[in-house]
């Protein structure tokens, strides 16, 4: 019986998409509202790009970065964030799941907790809003920054996007760990995350040492967009690791996720549910 | 052979004491102050396979906390639980495949979608063969009338319908043990009865072991063979609903319909507690006054059209126990 009750990877994948189907159905129940949110996100992010554009347009390039390269650098943030809110929205909304007692329900099912948290949420509005911005930036810049889109580079690109998604998921997950002690850190998390992301919109070489170290070692956005961009744009700084640079991103993602997951499991031991 | 075995179970909650005002909240942020609450205080009991046990107690007694530990949601502070050879918390996933749980105040159904979508999801969650799933849905439909409302978004259902769907969702995978936490809360009389009948039926037909939490004595009387009373985290009674009645229900009530309006009837040892002209209620201690003698002495003097004899209301008995008016004695209560 035990063997039969174990879930195989195809079964988990199937169940993941059964969840996704139900989430899509729920989203369609509120088509108008959810579309408005998408449009609002799109406009908000486009404004930040136009702002950047207006600042940069006076210069041909800064510290060796021209406009298109900067936008290419920025596009990583949108594409990986878009994937993050599609796959890992449950980690983002974890605090609400604890509050509503949804977590208790997950604990009553014969499935891993983190699996259920991830499978039970997807934010289609944010995925579309951020995704559209990212794709527009990528299309506008991909041809003009001198990248050869061969198989090698395409694989590297996919690895970077996946790794970047996991890095951001891990950062969000740190705050969800505190929910087990009923400490809500959502506001603090948003403050830290989105400000760090704002810094990451510009090349790391623009910043003084402290901020660089922060973005490499503490909130490793440097691996989400800066280091991969050095590789794809053939910047002189890449010489040491060369072709392996893009693969640092998934490695950092995996290590970070593992560390945070360990903390998460520790937190789960202290979980005391919510009263009625 | 006991199926659920609970020994010296304790659960403490750590509560963050929040202070008022800006200074206070600064202080509790920097130097948090905690208070411990003992929600479950050293309880032990065991339940046999197929048994149907009622778990009754006032609000805040520790019922939900006990159910959360029995289902593996919470880790006990101390003590241990074995359900069917497994520890619910450390063997959570394995245990979860064999249990079902209904929480009356929460739903497991997807709120914006028809209930049938949740059922479809559960089919995969519990890895049910399609044939078995269909057969179970068929049975639940017959017993609970699911088809009337299964295609409507859950948010549009009445509380009774939602509860029926929730109960079916918790039983869809043929669990061996089912925990109900206040499944009848907020339901009207008819809906309550439907829930009770269904629960009773499933217990008898499928030999499912059940623990039924409530603060409504009616639920217990109509469904359970055994009841546990919990108060302030301690089990104060473990036995049948009948025993508690026999032992503690001292009073009986006799309601007489007189043909003509009567007033001023006085009988030693008998109290008139309601006098509506033709209809009079007498209350007396059953060990001191025999109902049969009372009735025959009344029929000798007056013309009577009808009468009813009521045993003491178990609800009142329970209330008196909570209030400390009745002290359980050793031979009746397993654990006092
Ligand atoms: N998650 C929780 N955190 C802190 N205290 C709790 C929590 N859940 C319940 N309590 C407290 O524990 C006691 C028992 O609660 P509970 O088990 O919900 O009782 P019941 O279900 O019998 O009404 C109450 O005093 C309640 O306030
Ligand atoms: Mg309760």
């Amino acid at each position: 019986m035990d063997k039969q009750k174990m879930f195989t990877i195809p079964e988990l994948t199937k169940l993941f998409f059964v969840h996704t189907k139900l989430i899509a159905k729920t989203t369609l129940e509120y088509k108008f509202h959810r579309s408005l949110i998408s449009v609002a996100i799109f406009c908000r992010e486009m404004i930040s790009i136009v702002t950047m554009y207006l600042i940069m347009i006076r210069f041909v390039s800064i510290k060796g970065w021209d406009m298109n390269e900067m936008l290419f650098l920025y596009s990583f943030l949108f594409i990986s964030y878009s994937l993050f809110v599609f796959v890992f929205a449950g980690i983002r909304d974890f605090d609400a799941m604890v509050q509503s007692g949804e977590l208790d329900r997950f604990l009553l099912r014969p499935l891993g907790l983190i699996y259920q948290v991830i499978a039970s949420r997807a934010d289609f509005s944010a995925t579309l809003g951020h995704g559209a911005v990212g794709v527009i930036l990528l299309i506008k810049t991909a041809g003009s920054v001198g990248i050869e889109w061969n198989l090698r580079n395409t694989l590297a690109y996919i690895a970077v996007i996946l790794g970047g998604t996991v890095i951001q998921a891990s950062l969000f997950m740190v705050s969800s760990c505190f929910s087990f002690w009923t400490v809500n850190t959502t506001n603090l998390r948003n403050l830290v995350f989105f400000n760090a992301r704002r810094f990451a919109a510009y090349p790391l070489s623009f910043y003084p040492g402290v901020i660089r170290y922060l973005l490499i070692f503490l909130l490793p956005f440097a691996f989400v967009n800066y280091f991969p961009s050095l590789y794809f744009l053939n910047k002189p700084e890449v010489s040491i690791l060369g072709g392996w640079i893009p693969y640092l991103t998934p490695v950092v993602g995996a290590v970070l996720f593992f560390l945070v997951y360990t903390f998460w499991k520790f937190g789960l031991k202290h979980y005391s549910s919510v009263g009625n | 052979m006991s199926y659920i075995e609970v020994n010296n179970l304790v659960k403490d909650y750590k509560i963050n004491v929040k202070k008022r005002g800006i200074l206070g909240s600064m202080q509790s942020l920097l130097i948090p102050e905690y208070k411990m609450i003992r929600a479950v205080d050293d309880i032990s009991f065991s339940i046999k396979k197929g048994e149907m046990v009622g778990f009754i107690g006032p609000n805040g007694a520790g019922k939900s906390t006990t159910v959360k530990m029995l289902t593996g949601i919470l880790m006990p502070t101390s003590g241990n639980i074995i359900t069917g050879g497994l520890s619910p918390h450390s063997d959570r996933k394995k245990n979860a495949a064999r249990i079902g749980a209904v929480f009356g105040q929460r739903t497991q159904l997807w709120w914006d979608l028809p209930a049938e979508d949740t059922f479809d999801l559960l089919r995969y969650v519990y890895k049910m063969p399609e044939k078995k799933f269909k057969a179970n849905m068929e049975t639940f439909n017959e017993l609970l009338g699911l088809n009337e409302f299964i295609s409507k978004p859950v948010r549009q259902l009445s509380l009774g319908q939602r509860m029926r769907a929730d109960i079916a969702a918790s039983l869809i995978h043929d669990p061996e043990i089912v925990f109900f936490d206040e499944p009848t809360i907020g339901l009207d009389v008819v809906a309550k009865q439907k829930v009770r009948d269904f629960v009773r039926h499933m217990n008898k037909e499928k030999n499912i072991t059940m623990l039924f939490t409530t603060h409504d004595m009616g639920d217990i009387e109509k469904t359970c063979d055994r009841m546990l009373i919990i108060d302030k985290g301690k089990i104060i009674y473990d036995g049948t609903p009948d025993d508690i009645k026999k032992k503690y229900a001292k009073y009986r009530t006799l309601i007489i319909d007189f043909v003509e309006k009567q007033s001023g009837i006085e009988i030693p040892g008998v109290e008139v507690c309601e006098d509506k002209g033709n209809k009079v209620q007498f209350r007396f201690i059953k060990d001191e006054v025999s109902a049969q003698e009372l009735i025959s002495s009344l029929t000798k003097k007056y013309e009577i059209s009808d009468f009813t004899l009521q045993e003491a209301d178990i609800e009142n008995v329970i209330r008196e126990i909570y209030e400390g008016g009745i002290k359980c004695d050793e031979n009746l209560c397993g654990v006092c």
Side-chain angles (χ1 to χ4, degrees), chain A residues 4 6-7 11 25 29-30 105 107 109 111 273-274 276, chain B residues 68 74 92 94 96 101 105 108 112 117 125 127 155:
Chain A
Q4 192 208 327
M6 292 258 286
F7 283 83
E11 280 169 341
K25 263 183 103 170
E29 284 274 305
Y30 301 98
R105 181 49 65 183
L107 287 167
R109 293 188 176 152
L111 283 159
S273 183
V274 276
N276 286 324
Chain B
K68 283 176 185 169
L74 287 181
R92 183 185 71 77
K94 233 188 213 176
Q105 282 151 326
Q108 67 160 316
D112 291 311
D117 284 323
V125 166
K127 303 216 306 175
R155 61 167 192 272

PDB file of all heavy atoms in Angstrom, chain A residues 4 6-7 11 25 29-30 105 107 109 111 273-274 276, chain B residues 68 74 92 94 96 101 105 108 112 117 125 127 155:
ATOM      1  N   GLN A   4       2.225   2.193  -3.353  1.00  0.00           N
ATOM      2  CA  GLN A   4       1.187   2.719  -4.215  1.00  0.00           C
ATOM      3  C   GLN A   4       0.867   4.180  -3.860  1.00  0.00           C
ATOM      4  O   GLN A   4       0.488   4.965  -4.715  1.00  0.00           O
ATOM      5  CB  GLN A   4      -0.059   1.845  -4.049  1.00  0.00           C
ATOM      6  CG  GLN A   4      -1.123   2.104  -5.086  1.00  0.00           C
ATOM      7  CD  GLN A   4      -2.482   1.795  -4.526  1.00  0.00           C
ATOM      8  OE1 GLN A   4      -2.646   0.898  -3.709  1.00  0.00           O
ATOM      9  NE2 GLN A   4      -3.481   2.546  -4.935  1.00  0.00           N
ATOM     10  N   MET A   6       2.964   6.431  -2.767  1.00  0.00           N
ATOM     11  CA  MET A   6       4.027   7.374  -3.105  1.00  0.00           C
ATOM     12  C   MET A   6       3.698   8.027  -4.439  1.00  0.00           C
ATOM     13  O   MET A   6       3.178   7.389  -5.348  1.00  0.00           O
ATOM     14  CB  MET A   6       5.358   6.638  -3.215  1.00  0.00           C
ATOM     15  CG  MET A   6       5.849   6.103  -1.898  1.00  0.00           C
ATOM     16  SD  MET A   6       7.133   7.126  -1.208  1.00  0.00           S
ATOM     17  CE  MET A   6       8.482   6.698  -2.274  1.00  0.00           C
ATOM     18  N   PHE A   7       4.011   9.298  -4.550  1.00  0.00           N
ATOM     19  CA  PHE A   7       3.725   9.992  -5.787  1.00  0.00           C
ATOM     20  C   PHE A   7       4.932   9.975  -6.718  1.00  0.00           C
ATOM     21  O   PHE A   7       6.050  10.213  -6.287  1.00  0.00           O
ATOM     22  CB  PHE A   7       3.337  11.440  -5.498  1.00  0.00           C
ATOM     23  CG  PHE A   7       1.937  11.587  -4.986  1.00  0.00           C
ATOM     24  CD1 PHE A   7       1.656  11.397  -3.639  1.00  0.00           C
ATOM     25  CD2 PHE A   7       0.905  11.906  -5.850  1.00  0.00           C
ATOM     26  CE1 PHE A   7       0.361  11.531  -3.170  1.00  0.00           C
ATOM     27  CE2 PHE A   7      -0.396  12.042  -5.383  1.00  0.00           C
ATOM     28  CZ  PHE A   7      -0.671  11.846  -4.043  1.00  0.00           C
ATOM     29  N   GLU A  11       2.934  12.005 -11.806  1.00  0.00           N
ATOM     30  CA  GLU A  11       1.702  12.235 -11.047  1.00  0.00           C
ATOM     31  C   GLU A  11       1.697  13.619 -10.417  1.00  0.00           C
ATOM     32  O   GLU A  11       0.677  14.320 -10.419  1.00  0.00           O
ATOM     33  CB  GLU A  11       1.552  11.171  -9.944  1.00  0.00           C
ATOM     34  CG  GLU A  11       1.020   9.858 -10.455  1.00  0.00           C
ATOM     35  CD  GLU A  11       1.121   8.748  -9.417  1.00  0.00           C
ATOM     36  OE1 GLU A  11       1.909   8.884  -8.451  1.00  0.00           O
ATOM     37  OE2 GLU A  11       0.409   7.754  -9.563  1.00  0.00           O
ATOM     38  N   LYS A  25      -9.495  28.871 -13.877  1.00  0.00           N
ATOM     39  CA  LYS A  25     -10.953  29.001 -13.840  1.00  0.00           C
ATOM     40  C   LYS A  25     -11.383  30.090 -12.864  1.00  0.00           C
ATOM     41  O   LYS A  25     -12.276  30.886 -13.148  1.00  0.00           O
ATOM     42  CB  LYS A  25     -11.588  27.667 -13.407  1.00  0.00           C
ATOM     43  CG  LYS A  25     -12.057  26.812 -14.567  1.00  0.00           C
ATOM     44  CD  LYS A  25     -12.741  25.556 -14.068  1.00  0.00           C
ATOM     45  CE  LYS A  25     -14.249  25.644 -14.173  1.00  0.00           C
ATOM     46  NZ  LYS A  25     -14.878  24.319 -13.902  1.00  0.00           N
ATOM     47  N   GLU A  29     -13.306  33.781 -13.505  1.00  0.00           N
ATOM     48  CA  GLU A  29     -14.517  34.241 -12.820  1.00  0.00           C
ATOM     49  C   GLU A  29     -14.476  35.756 -12.613  1.00  0.00           C
ATOM     50  O   GLU A  29     -15.497  36.399 -12.469  1.00  0.00           O
ATOM     51  CB  GLU A  29     -14.638  33.563 -11.443  1.00  0.00           C
ATOM     52  CG  GLU A  29     -15.089  32.121 -11.480  1.00  0.00           C
ATOM     53  CD  GLU A  29     -16.597  32.004 -11.513  1.00  0.00           C
ATOM     54  OE1 GLU A  29     -17.246  32.568 -10.602  1.00  0.00           O
ATOM     55  OE2 GLU A  29     -17.119  31.381 -12.447  1.00  0.00           O
ATOM     56  N   TYR A  30     -13.258  36.288 -12.501  1.00  0.00           N
ATOM     57  CA  TYR A  30     -13.093  37.721 -12.274  1.00  0.00           C
ATOM     58  C   TYR A  30     -12.289  38.345 -13.405  1.00  0.00           C
ATOM     59  O   TYR A  30     -11.358  39.107 -13.178  1.00  0.00           O
ATOM     60  CB  TYR A  30     -12.389  37.967 -10.942  1.00  0.00           C
ATOM     61  CG  TYR A  30     -13.127  37.400  -9.760  1.00  0.00           C
ATOM     62  CD1 TYR A  30     -12.778  36.162  -9.223  1.00  0.00           C
ATOM     63  CD2 TYR A  30     -14.192  38.097  -9.193  1.00  0.00           C
ATOM     64  CE1 TYR A  30     -13.473  35.639  -8.148  1.00  0.00           C
ATOM     65  CE2 TYR A  30     -14.883  37.587  -8.103  1.00  0.00           C
ATOM     66  CZ  TYR A  30     -14.514  36.348  -7.587  1.00  0.00           C
ATOM     67  OH  TYR A  30     -15.198  35.840  -6.519  1.00  0.00           O
ATOM     68  N   ARG A 105      -5.180  22.789   6.240  1.00  0.00           N
ATOM     69  CA  ARG A 105      -5.787  21.877   5.282  1.00  0.00           C
ATOM     70  C   ARG A 105      -4.704  21.115   4.509  1.00  0.00           C
ATOM     71  O   ARG A 105      -4.821  19.909   4.310  1.00  0.00           O
ATOM     72  CB  ARG A 105      -6.689  22.692   4.342  1.00  0.00           C
ATOM     73  CG  ARG A 105      -7.423  21.926   3.287  1.00  0.00           C
ATOM     74  CD  ARG A 105      -8.152  20.698   3.789  1.00  0.00           C
ATOM     75  NE  ARG A 105      -9.237  20.971   4.696  1.00  0.00           N
ATOM     76  CZ  ARG A 105      -9.968  20.034   5.293  1.00  0.00           C
ATOM     77  NH1 ARG A 105      -9.732  18.747   5.048  1.00  0.00           N
ATOM     78  NH2 ARG A 105     -10.922  20.357   6.141  1.00  0.00           N
ATOM     79  N   LEU A 107      -1.846  20.327   5.581  1.00  0.00           N
ATOM     80  CA  LEU A 107      -1.221  19.359   6.475  1.00  0.00           C
ATOM     81  C   LEU A 107      -2.064  18.092   6.618  1.00  0.00           C
ATOM     82  O   LEU A 107      -1.601  17.081   7.118  1.00  0.00           O
ATOM     83  CB  LEU A 107      -0.986  19.991   7.850  1.00  0.00           C
ATOM     84  CG  LEU A 107       0.145  21.019   7.906  1.00  0.00           C
ATOM     85  CD1 LEU A 107       0.103  21.815   9.193  1.00  0.00           C
ATOM     86  CD2 LEU A 107       1.499  20.342   7.754  1.00  0.00           C
ATOM     87  N   ARG A 109      -3.273  16.520   4.059  1.00  0.00           N
ATOM     88  CA  ARG A 109      -3.219  15.783   2.794  1.00  0.00           C
ATOM     89  C   ARG A 109      -1.904  15.048   2.631  1.00  0.00           C
ATOM     90  O   ARG A 109      -0.878  15.504   3.123  1.00  0.00           O
ATOM     91  CB  ARG A 109      -3.431  16.756   1.629  1.00  0.00           C
ATOM     92  CG  ARG A 109      -4.835  17.298   1.662  1.00  0.00           C
ATOM     93  CD  ARG A 109      -5.149  18.099   0.462  1.00  0.00           C
ATOM     94  NE  ARG A 109      -6.542  18.499   0.511  1.00  0.00           N
ATOM     95  CZ  ARG A 109      -7.028  19.589  -0.053  1.00  0.00           C
ATOM     96  NH1 ARG A 109      -6.220  20.396  -0.708  1.00  0.00           N
ATOM     97  NH2 ARG A 109      -8.303  19.875   0.023  1.00  0.00           N
ATOM     98  N   LEU A 111       0.514  14.885   0.876  1.00  0.00           N
ATOM     99  CA  LEU A 111       1.455  15.488  -0.058  1.00  0.00           C
ATOM    100  C   LEU A 111       2.389  16.407   0.704  1.00  0.00           C
ATOM    101  O   LEU A 111       2.038  16.902   1.773  1.00  0.00           O
ATOM    102  CB  LEU A 111       0.688  16.336  -1.076  1.00  0.00           C
ATOM    103  CG  LEU A 111      -0.026  15.602  -2.192  1.00  0.00           C
ATOM    104  CD1 LEU A 111      -1.111  16.478  -2.774  1.00  0.00           C
ATOM    105  CD2 LEU A 111       0.958  15.194  -3.276  1.00  0.00           C
ATOM    106  N   SER A 273      -0.550  26.648  14.352  1.00  0.00           N
ATOM    107  CA  SER A 273      -1.875  26.795  13.773  1.00  0.00           C
ATOM    108  C   SER A 273      -2.501  28.144  14.123  1.00  0.00           C
ATOM    109  O   SER A 273      -1.844  29.003  14.698  1.00  0.00           O
ATOM    110  CB  SER A 273      -2.764  25.646  14.229  1.00  0.00           C
ATOM    111  OG  SER A 273      -4.029  25.723  13.637  1.00  0.00           O
ATOM    112  N   VAL A 274      -3.754  28.330  13.766  1.00  0.00           N
ATOM    113  CA  VAL A 274      -4.456  29.557  14.146  1.00  0.00           C
ATOM    114  C   VAL A 274      -5.740  29.193  14.855  1.00  0.00           C
ATOM    115  O   VAL A 274      -6.364  28.190  14.544  1.00  0.00           O
ATOM    116  CB  VAL A 274      -4.799  30.438  12.916  1.00  0.00           C
ATOM    117  CG1 VAL A 274      -3.630  31.300  12.545  1.00  0.00           C
ATOM    118  CG2 VAL A 274      -5.248  29.594  11.757  1.00  0.00           C
ATOM    119  N   ASN A 276      -9.779  29.771  16.065  1.00  0.00           N
ATOM    120  CA  ASN A 276     -10.940  29.972  15.200  1.00  0.00           C
ATOM    121  C   ASN A 276     -11.388  31.417  15.140  1.00  0.00           C
ATOM    122  O   ASN A 276     -11.605  32.057  16.058  1.00  0.00           O
ATOM    123  CB  ASN A 276     -12.100  29.091  15.644  1.00  0.00           C
ATOM    124  CG  ASN A 276     -11.836  27.660  15.258  1.00  0.00           C
ATOM    125  OD1 ASN A 276     -11.260  27.393  14.207  1.00  0.00           O
ATOM    126  ND2 ASN A 276     -12.215  26.737  16.118  1.00  0.00           N
TER     127      ASN A 276
ATOM    128  N   LYS B  68      -6.572  18.865  16.226  1.00  0.00           N
ATOM    129  CA  LYS B  68      -5.408  19.234  15.406  1.00  0.00           C
ATOM    130  C   LYS B  68      -4.204  18.359  15.729  1.00  0.00           C
ATOM    131  O   LYS B  68      -3.398  18.068  14.854  1.00  0.00           O
ATOM    132  CB  LYS B  68      -5.064  20.710  15.599  1.00  0.00           C
ATOM    133  CG  LYS B  68      -6.008  21.632  14.841  1.00  0.00           C
ATOM    134  CD  LYS B  68      -5.704  23.085  15.120  1.00  0.00           C
ATOM    135  CE  LYS B  68      -6.732  23.986  14.451  1.00  0.00           C
ATOM    136  NZ  LYS B  68      -6.606  25.376  14.927  1.00  0.00           N
ATOM    137  N   LEU B  74      -0.790  19.723  14.413  1.00  0.00           N
ATOM    138  CA  LEU B  74       0.043  20.273  15.478  1.00  0.00           C
ATOM    139  C   LEU B  74       0.885  19.199  16.139  1.00  0.00           C
ATOM    140  O   LEU B  74       0.446  18.060  16.289  1.00  0.00           O
ATOM    141  CB  LEU B  74      -0.836  20.921  16.556  1.00  0.00           C
ATOM    142  CG  LEU B  74      -1.512  22.234  16.232  1.00  0.00           C
ATOM    143  CD1 LEU B  74      -2.309  22.717  17.433  1.00  0.00           C
ATOM    144  CD2 LEU B  74      -0.486  23.286  15.832  1.00  0.00           C
ATOM    145  N   ARG B  92       3.216  12.171   9.119  1.00  0.00           N
ATOM    146  CA  ARG B  92       2.086  12.952   8.634  1.00  0.00           C
ATOM    147  C   ARG B  92       1.507  12.495   7.292  1.00  0.00           C
ATOM    148  O   ARG B  92       0.321  12.224   7.177  1.00  0.00           O
ATOM    149  CB  ARG B  92       2.473  14.433   8.540  1.00  0.00           C
ATOM    150  CG  ARG B  92       1.335  15.321   8.108  1.00  0.00           C
ATOM    151  CD  ARG B  92       1.763  16.757   7.908  1.00  0.00           C
ATOM    152  NE  ARG B  92       2.597  16.968   6.735  1.00  0.00           N
ATOM    153  CZ  ARG B  92       2.143  17.017   5.483  1.00  0.00           C
ATOM    154  NH1 ARG B  92       0.850  16.868   5.249  1.00  0.00           N
ATOM    155  NH2 ARG B  92       2.958  17.224   4.472  1.00  0.00           N
ATOM    156  N   LYS B  94       1.804   9.715   5.474  1.00  0.00           N
ATOM    157  CA  LYS B  94       1.247   8.368   5.468  1.00  0.00           C
ATOM    158  C   LYS B  94      -0.093   8.343   6.199  1.00  0.00           C
ATOM    159  O   LYS B  94      -1.068   7.766   5.741  1.00  0.00           O
ATOM    160  CB  LYS B  94       2.218   7.432   6.197  1.00  0.00           C
ATOM    161  CG  LYS B  94       2.612   6.222   5.401  1.00  0.00           C
ATOM    162  CD  LYS B  94       3.398   5.306   6.322  1.00  0.00           C
ATOM    163  CE  LYS B  94       4.469   4.550   5.600  1.00  0.00           C
ATOM    164  NZ  LYS B  94       5.259   3.754   6.555  1.00  0.00           N
ATOM    165  N   ALA B  96      -2.055  10.876   6.722  1.00  0.00           N
ATOM    166  CA  ALA B  96      -3.055  11.708   6.053  1.00  0.00           C
ATOM    167  C   ALA B  96      -3.839  10.939   4.998  1.00  0.00           C
ATOM    168  O   ALA B  96      -5.000  11.236   4.744  1.00  0.00           O
ATOM    169  CB  ALA B  96      -2.384  12.928   5.424  1.00  0.00           C
ATOM    170  N   ALA B 101     -10.956  14.831   7.654  1.00  0.00           N
ATOM    171  CA  ALA B 101     -11.286  15.782   8.701  1.00  0.00           C
ATOM    172  C   ALA B 101     -12.198  16.870   8.155  1.00  0.00           C
ATOM    173  O   ALA B 101     -12.015  17.354   7.044  1.00  0.00           O
ATOM    174  CB  ALA B 101     -10.027  16.411   9.274  1.00  0.00           C
ATOM    175  N   GLN B 105     -15.980  25.365  10.766  1.00  0.00           N
ATOM    176  CA  GLN B 105     -15.855  26.800  10.545  1.00  0.00           C
ATOM    177  C   GLN B 105     -15.000  27.144   9.337  1.00  0.00           C
ATOM    178  O   GLN B 105     -14.817  28.300   9.022  1.00  0.00           O
ATOM    179  CB  GLN B 105     -15.289  27.468  11.798  1.00  0.00           C
ATOM    180  CG  GLN B 105     -16.371  27.629  12.844  1.00  0.00           C
ATOM    181  CD  GLN B 105     -15.813  27.614  14.241  1.00  0.00           C
ATOM    182  OE1 GLN B 105     -14.845  26.929  14.529  1.00  0.00           O
ATOM    183  NE2 GLN B 105     -16.431  28.367  15.116  1.00  0.00           N
ATOM    184  N   GLN B 108     -12.882  23.290   2.777  1.00  0.00           N
ATOM    185  CA  GLN B 108     -11.751  22.915   1.939  1.00  0.00           C
ATOM    186  C   GLN B 108     -12.115  23.051   0.462  1.00  0.00           C
ATOM    187  O   GLN B 108     -11.344  22.726  -0.408  1.00  0.00           O
ATOM    188  CB  GLN B 108     -11.281  21.502   2.256  1.00  0.00           C
ATOM    189  CG  GLN B 108     -12.228  20.401   1.904  1.00  0.00           C
ATOM    190  CD  GLN B 108     -11.489  19.068   1.811  1.00  0.00           C
ATOM    191  OE1 GLN B 108     -10.415  18.977   1.236  1.00  0.00           O
ATOM    192  NE2 GLN B 108     -12.071  18.038   2.406  1.00  0.00           N
ATOM    193  N   ASP B 112     -14.606  30.010  -5.209  1.00  0.00           N
ATOM    194  CA  ASP B 112     -15.185  30.626  -6.399  1.00  0.00           C
ATOM    195  C   ASP B 112     -15.588  29.620  -7.468  1.00  0.00           C
ATOM    196  O   ASP B 112     -16.083  30.003  -8.516  1.00  0.00           O
ATOM    197  CB  ASP B 112     -14.181  31.621  -7.007  1.00  0.00           C
ATOM    198  CG  ASP B 112     -14.014  32.827  -6.103  1.00  0.00           C
ATOM    199  OD1 ASP B 112     -15.044  33.390  -5.687  1.00  0.00           O
ATOM    200  OD2 ASP B 112     -12.872  33.183  -5.792  1.00  0.00           O
ATOM    201  N   ASP B 117     -15.330  20.799  -8.915  1.00  0.00           N
ATOM    202  CA  ASP B 117     -13.923  21.018  -9.252  1.00  0.00           C
ATOM    203  C   ASP B 117     -13.010  20.577  -8.111  1.00  0.00           C
ATOM    204  O   ASP B 117     -11.959  19.986  -8.346  1.00  0.00           O
ATOM    205  CB  ASP B 117     -13.671  22.496  -9.570  1.00  0.00           C
ATOM    206  CG  ASP B 117     -14.193  22.873 -10.950  1.00  0.00           C
ATOM    207  OD1 ASP B 117     -14.074  22.036 -11.858  1.00  0.00           O
ATOM    208  OD2 ASP B 117     -14.724  23.988 -11.105  1.00  0.00           O
ATOM    209  N   VAL B 125      -5.339  14.080  -5.587  1.00  0.00           N
ATOM    210  CA  VAL B 125      -4.625  14.209  -4.312  1.00  0.00           C
ATOM    211  C   VAL B 125      -4.561  12.846  -3.606  1.00  0.00           C
ATOM    212  O   VAL B 125      -3.555  12.491  -3.008  1.00  0.00           O
ATOM    213  CB  VAL B 125      -5.318  15.258  -3.413  1.00  0.00           C
ATOM    214  CG1 VAL B 125      -4.809  15.170  -1.980  1.00  0.00           C
ATOM    215  CG2 VAL B 125      -5.089  16.663  -3.960  1.00  0.00           C
ATOM    216  N   LYS B 127      -5.054   9.946  -5.192  1.00  0.00           N
ATOM    217  CA  LYS B 127      -4.744   8.902  -6.170  1.00  0.00           C
ATOM    218  C   LYS B 127      -5.833   7.849  -6.272  1.00  0.00           C
ATOM    219  O   LYS B 127      -5.582   6.650  -6.137  1.00  0.00           O
ATOM    220  CB  LYS B 127      -3.416   8.219  -5.818  1.00  0.00           C
ATOM    221  CG  LYS B 127      -2.275   9.199  -5.728  1.00  0.00           C
ATOM    222  CD  LYS B 127      -0.970   8.668  -6.213  1.00  0.00           C
ATOM    223  CE  LYS B 127      -0.500   7.390  -5.620  1.00  0.00           C
ATOM    224  NZ  LYS B 127       0.726   6.964  -6.282  1.00  0.00           N
ATOM    225  N   ARG B 155     -19.404  29.670  -3.232  1.00  0.00           N
ATOM    226  CA  ARG B 155     -19.782  30.889  -2.499  1.00  0.00           C
ATOM    227  C   ARG B 155     -21.290  31.157  -2.558  1.00  0.00           C
ATOM    228  O   ARG B 155     -21.819  31.922  -1.761  1.00  0.00           O
ATOM    229  CB  ARG B 155     -18.997  32.098  -3.013  1.00  0.00           C
ATOM    230  CG  ARG B 155     -19.216  32.419  -4.461  1.00  0.00           C
ATOM    231  CD  ARG B 155     -18.687  33.800  -4.857  1.00  0.00           C
ATOM    232  NE  ARG B 155     -19.189  34.146  -6.177  1.00  0.00           N
ATOM    233  CZ  ARG B 155     -18.585  33.813  -7.318  1.00  0.00           C
ATOM    234  NH1 ARG B 155     -17.448  33.166  -7.284  1.00  0.00           N
ATOM    235  NH2 ARG B 155     -19.108  34.141  -8.489  1.00  0.00           N
TER     236      ARG B 155
END
